[in-house]
Amino acid sequence: MALSIITPLLLLLGVVYGQRERYKGHQVWRLTPKSLTQLEYLDNLRQKSHTKEVDFWKDPSSVGRPVVLRVPSKRRNEIYIELGLQGFVPEVTIKDLQQNIDEEESLYTQNSFADLKDFDYSKYHPLSEVNAWMEQIAAKYPERVTLFNISSSYEGRTIRAMKIVGKATGSKKPGFFFDGGIHAREWISPATVIYMAAQLIEQYGKNRSITEVVDALDWFILPVFNVDGYNYTWTTNRMWRKTRSKHFNCYGVDPNRNWDWEWCKQGASKDPCSDSYCGPSPFSESEVKGVADFLNAVPGRFRAYIDFHSFSQLWMTPWGYTKDLPPDFPLQNACSAAAVDALTAVHGTKYKYGTLARVIYISSGSSADWTYGAAKIKYSTGVELRDTGKYGFLLPADQIIPSGEETLQGLLAMAKFIVNNP
Ligand SMILES: [Zn+2]
């Protein structure tokens, strides 16, 4: 074919595909360190992950705990040999990542909705549809739901959230705030948050447990925290994690390392190109600063906070920056136990619980540490939703409803616990 024909064709393809990041031939591997030497090796690889182009989906934490990583096709042989020399035999969980992305895409493209009754909770939704859903459900239940803006993102998007209230009691009620989508590619998080918010609204007055907790607490729900990043995963790069601000030659700050509590110490990176970049200063990200200001505006307003992530199936409380236990640990941990018991009872999904630093690894400047340490929200929690690495961030949409059902029971158990144990 003549070059003059090929060039317009390529240009056309560029337009059709919108210059999306492709992951053809990328594989996802799961491996388990069986000794401290192997663990140290993986920790080291993680430090160099940016230059090695290895993307850790699940970081090394302890001996016996699996690690999940994405390896680009051009690096596969080299990394495989390196791992082999260390005694690892990686299990391939995703053979060709682009194929999984394409399959996911084929399910969500025909999925817009005109009316609340057509909103499909078993599908993933782009930001515009999440916002439209909030408008519609607030319009249908005006006595139960109000919408408010938290702040604006780096790229100027509005960060929309909702407040759900039960019947008035004449006295001030403690607040419960939960959010999803702080990390852009963790799509099950906003989807689960949306499902649970809908249940709290629509089952009020029908389901006894829901009615009780909606009457006992004021609920504040932010479905998509990192709006720019989430939008970017839909338009350009499905594997994006951070915000979209620009620092030197790289984009984005890890919004879960940007909080002003033991900021940028162990378990955060000063490298702007790293996926765990803490930012040029604490609260440099308007998204994080906006949520923090909201949580701090009225002292004592909130008793509980959950930041929903994926994946790993963990229910965790402070501290993240140290393995020391905080003074409220016994109550916090009893609360996690109650939540996890209720969650597991629904579909048998197993979760681990404990402090962030002890269950996974030390990280500093994370949301739950700040909400507990600075905003004094006693029941501050970080949750990693499904799964344990088979699909990772590309969790099939048919798991949204089961994830929503079980997590809702965990949430309700937590709400009851905090009402009884202020
Ligand atoms: Zn996350």
Side-chain angles (χ1 to χ4, degrees):
M1 205 184 288
L3 201 68
S4 57
I5 300 174
I6 293 171
T7 312
L9 254 180
L10 287 176
L11 281 174
L12 183 68
L13 282 173
V15 171
V16 171
Y17 286 108
Q19 306 299 343
R20 283 212 189 166
E21 191 82 27
R22 306 277 298 165
Y23 289 93
K24 184 130 193 58
H26 288 227
Q27 291 194 338
V28 179
W29 297 349
R30 178 160 51 189
L31 42 139
T32 307
K34 300 220 163 59
S35 66
L36 275 176
T37 319
Q38 284 192 332
L39 183 66
E40 270 165 33
Y41 166 79
L42 289 175
D43 263 330
N44 229 302
L45 184 63
R46 186 168 70 106
Q47 309 290 330
K48 298 181 294 192
S49 60
H50 174 60
T51 44
K52 289 262 186 191
E53 298 175 83
V54 178
D55 173 17
F56 276 80
W57 281 19
K58 186 172 175 180
D59 286 336
S61 51
S62 54
V63 173
R65 284 274 167 82
V67 168
V68 179
L69 37 89
R70 169 176 64 83
V71 185
S73 46
K74 62 179 174 186
R75 293 276 190 173
R76 252 160 54 187
N77 285 342
E78 170 200 340
I79 306 283
Y80 194 85
I81 289 166
E82 233 186 80
L83 287 168
L85 290 172
Q86 299 297 323
F88 289 106
V89 185
E91 170 206 355
V92 179
T93 57
I94 296 178
K95 264 207 288 228
D96 178 2
L97 185 60
Q98 190 57 45
Q99 204 177 320
N100 287 48
I101 292 173
D102 290 344
E103 277 162 25
E104 185 183 72
E105 192 167 350
S106 71
L107 292 172
Y108 65 60
T109 41
Q110 325 89 350
N111 187 39
S112 58
F113 72 106
D115 188 88
L116 187 59
K117 68 177 183 347
D118 300 323
F119 186 83
D120 189 344
Y121 290 94
S122 71
K123 296 275 160 64
Y124 293 113
H125 295 273
L127 185 65
S128 58
E129 288 180 15
V130 175
N131 285 334
W133 167 78
M134 278 199 272
E135 298 290 344
Q136 293 192 9
I137 204 161
K140 187 173 173 193
Y141 298 91
E143 72 295 342
R144 192 83 44 239
V145 186
T146 45
L147 301 187
F148 60 99
N149 297 340
I150 290 200
S151 65
S152 287
S153 69
Y154 179 81
E155 291 177 346
R157 292 186 177 81
T158 303
I159 301 172
R160 292 284 266 165
M162 57 209 305
K163 181 181 181 188
I164 302 173
V165 295
K167 67 166 181 274
T169 55
S171 56
K172 266 216 180 93
K173 299 176 186 181
F176 194 133
F177 186 105
F178 65 92
D179 62 55
I182 192 170
H183 285 144
R185 62 189 175 182
E186 300 167 3
W187 282 12
I188 189 60
S189 156
T192 300
V193 165
I194 289 164
Y195 175 88
M196 294 192 296
Q199 292 291 307
L200 292 178
I201 296 162
E202 295 188 325
Q203 294 302 313
Y204 179 83
K206 296 178 189 156
N207 174 298
R208 213 182 78 190
S209 299
I210 287 177
T211 309
E212 276 173 15
V213 301
V214 172
D215 279 337
L217 303 162
D218 285 337
W219 292 83
F220 298 83
I221 300 163
L222 168 57
V224 182
F225 187 123
N226 176 8
V227 285
D228 294 349
Y230 186 69
N231 184 66
Y232 195 68
T233 59
W234 281 83
T235 59
T236 314
N237 184 350
R238 178 65 183 84
M239 290 301 123
W240 193 255
R241 165 182 164 97
K242 301 190 282 180
T243 60
R244 291 294 301 160
S245 53
K246 191 167 187 201
H247 304 277
F248 303 98
N249 288 328
C250 284
Y251 285 91
V253 166
D254 183 342
N256 203 29
R257 299 288 185 278
N258 190 238
W259 299 70
D260 192 7
W261 188 263
E262 302 288 325
W263 175 77
C264 214
K265 293 181 179 164
Q266 211 183 326
S269 175
K270 291 194 164 66
D271 174 359
C273 302
S274 161
D275 250 353
S276 54
Y277 177 45
C278 59
S281 58
F283 290 147
S284 60
E285 302 313 282
S286 61
E287 300 85 352
V288 181
K289 179 78 165 70
V291 174
D293 283 348
F294 179 75
L295 290 172
N296 227 6
V298 182
R301 183 185 202 177
F302 293 102
R303 193 178 294 165
Y305 169 82
I306 306 180
D307 188 16
F308 283 102
H309 294 252
S310 76
F311 58 94
S312 285
Q313 297 174 194
L314 308 167
W315 199 284
M316 299 172 293
T317 52
W319 299 111
Y321 79 96
T322 173
K323 290 197 173 175
D324 294 348
L325 300 175
D328 294 309
F329 176 72
L331 266 183
Q332 292 163 329
N333 209 45
C335 180
S336 298
V340 166
D341 278 353
L343 185 157
T344 303
V346 180
H347 294 296
T349 311
K350 299 254 187 312
Y351 269 59
K352 294 197 168 72
Y353 61 92
T355 72
L356 287 146
R358 290 181 182 219
V359 171
I360 35 176
Y361 45 80
I362 289 182
S363 63
S364 57
S366 71
S367 57
D369 273 12
W370 184 89
T371 56
Y372 178 58
K376 309 287 181 215
I377 302 174
K378 187 194 271 184
Y379 294 97
S380 288
T381 311
V383 171
E384 297 279 359
L385 297 166
R386 291 184 180 202
D387 56 9
T388 58
K390 183 178 179 197
Y391 297 105
F393 304 123
L394 292 166
L395 194 73
D398 62 11
Q399 293 198 37
I400 295 173
I401 302 284
S403 167
E405 288 167 343
E406 66 195 13
T407 314
L408 175 66
Q409 292 309 314
L411 184 78
L412 296 178
M414 178 169 168
K416 270 180 211 155
F417 188 96
I418 70 163
V419 168
N420 295 329
N421 301 273

